[in-house]
Each structure stands twice: as C-alpha cells, then as structure tokens.
Amino acid sequence: MVKKLVLLSVIGLSSLMAANGAKLYAAKCAECHGGDGKETSVAGKAIAGGSGALAKLNGYKNGTFGGDQKAIMQANVAALSDSEISTIASYVDSLK
Ligand code: HEC
C-alpha cells in the first residue's frame, strides 16, 4: 500500500515536471526554436530530435559549450536555476 502510494506520487511528480518543462519551454525558448523545436533559421539546426540538452544548456551557462552565436544562448540560460535547466532539458530531449 505504502509502496503504491510512493509510486503514484513519483509518477505524479514526473508528469508535473513534464508539464512544467513544456510551460518553461513555451515561455523562454519557443520564440526562437519554434513550439516543436524544429525551427532551423535561428540556431542553424533544429533542437528537436537531438539529445544531451542538459549538457549543452549547462555548457552555455558555464561557458564550455557553444558556437558562433553562443552569446545569445548564454543570455537565455543565465537566469535559469539548475532545476529549471534540467526540467527544460528533459522536455527538449523529448521533442522528436
Ligand atoms: C533569442 C533566440 C533564442 C532563444 C530565446 C533560445 N535560443 Fe537556443 N539557440 C539560439 C541560437 C542562436 C543558438 C546557436 C548558438 C550557438 O552558436 O552555439 C541556440 C542553440 C541552442 C541549443 C544547442 C543546439 C546544438 O545542438 O548546437 C540548444 C539545446 C538550445 N538552443 C536550447 C534552447 C532552450 C532550451 C531555450 C530556452 C531556455 C533556448 N534555446 C532559447 C537562439 C535562442
């Protein structure tokens, strides 16, 4: 019984995080990368269908990752907390 409750709350929490990821993405990323992550005009490539978004976003934040236009992304992730970054990253990696 207790195990079932714990499992239910874990499932509840992860779907909540997915919803937050979608919300954060829509508010902070979609304008450039498109609602579906397939916009290619800004970054030169779509972010949907990729993987490793967490490492990339952390890399932008700490200056270890990026291309010619990395200043744009650095400005976007600078104000995000670690938990917001990991929530958004999971969402980005789920975009196909
Ligand atoms: C103002 C436009 C803009 C916004 C807003 C923006 N991006 Fe970007 N994004 C870019 C540009 C430009 C690049 C390419 C930067 C470079 O040269 O490294 C990029 C690159 C990326 C990459 C790396 C692609 C790769 O594989 O090289 C990821 C992942 C990414 N953005 C995710 C996000 C997420 C998540 C958000 C929201 C928090 C976001 N972006 C908000 C413009 C934007």
Side-chain angles (χ1 to χ4, degrees):
M1 178 67 186
V2 172
K3 263 190 192 157
K4 254 188 194 159
L5 282 177
V6 169
L7 193 66
L8 277 178
S9 53
V10 168
I11 292 170
L13 196 68
S14 53
S15 53
L16 195 71
M17 282 191 52
N20 281 344
K23 223 176 181 179
L24 281 167
Y25 179 87
K28 299 181 186 292
C29 321
E31 92 185 69
C32 291
H33 292 287
D36 54 4
K38 293 190 173 135
E39 179 58 55
T40 53
S41 62
V42 195
K45 54 183 166 184
I47 57 171
S51 63
L54 182 61
K56 287 174 186 171
L57 296 179
N58 281 327
Y60 280 125
K61 195 169 181 184
N62 65 28
T64 58
F65 175 81
D68 295 346
Q69 297 178 283
K70 65 181 175 192
I72 296 174
M73 276 305 295
Q74 284 168 345
N76 287 315
V77 294
L80 298 176
S81 68
D82 287 351
S83 77
E84 285 175 321
I85 287 182
S86 70
T87 303
I88 294 184
S90 306
Y91 180 73
V92 168
D93 281 346
S94 78
L95 296 172
K96 298 295 171 216

